Amino acid sequence: MLNTMKKVIAYILLYISFDQGLKVLAISSGNIDAILVSWHPTLNYGVTLSLLKQLHPLILAGLQILALLLLLFWLDLPNMSKALCIAGGMSNIIDRILHGYVIDYLQFHLYQWNWPAVVNLADIYLL
């Protein structure tokens, strides 16, 4: 049991580090357009689709922590799924506390259709 927990914590730290590294790269680079996905660094002061952006960043971080805890206790997920959820939520919470916004960088599109939100890897972890 202890070995499993250590492994899950190691994965959480790895997932957070990877997302945070991509966020640093996003801020230091410009836009890159590709066939199905574009690299489009964006500062998100709200939650999905910039909703609730008028709230203070620490209030949003608190709401994100509460939502993450409810998700983890409500759903019976395997350990690695929990690791992804925790890493995704924590990485975005780290951004919100440090910067006051979340750094998003991926926009999916097909022909003239664009996904309405720019997302980051942490958001994808939470799917």
Side-chain angles (χ1 to χ4, degrees):
M1 181 70 168
L2 188 58
N3 268 348
T4 302
M5 199 56 149
K6 286 180 182 178
K7 195 181 294 187
V8 169
I9 290 170
Y11 276 112
I12 290 169
L13 294 174
L14 178 69
Y15 295 148
I16 289 172
S17 299
F18 192 53
D19 180 60
Q20 288 293 313
L22 285 174
K23 289 174 178 177
V24 168
L25 182 64
I27 291 301
S28 64
S29 68
N31 295 340
I32 301 170
D33 290 323
I35 295 173
L36 295 175
V37 64
S38 294
W39 184 267
H40 183 69
T42 305
L43 308 181
N44 184 353
Y45 289 90
V47 292
T48 304
L49 300 173
S50 292
L51 297 172
L52 305 176
K53 64 183 174 188
Q54 69 278 11
L55 292 179
H56 191 278
L58 292 179
I59 292 173
L60 277 178
L63 291 173
Q64 285 177 303
I65 291 169
L66 180 63
L68 182 61
L69 290 174
L70 287 174
L71 174 78
L72 291 173
F73 286 113
W74 192 346
L75 300 176
D76 185 28
L77 299 172
N79 283 340
M80 292 317 294
S81 296
K82 286 181 183 178
L84 282 169
C85 287
I86 291 168
M90 290 306 298
S91 189
N92 283 341
I93 290 166
I94 289 167
D95 277 5
R96 181 115 20 236
I97 290 171
L98 291 180
H99 309 296
Y101 52 81
V102 173
I103 302 164
D104 292 328
Y105 46 83
L106 297 172
Q107 181 156 33
F108 298 96
H109 52 85
L110 184 62
Y111 301 110
Q112 300 300 320
W113 176 83
N114 284 319
W115 182 255
V118 180
V119 299
N120 58 44
L121 189 59
D123 297 335
I124 295 169
Y125 292 162
L126 291 165
L127 293 178

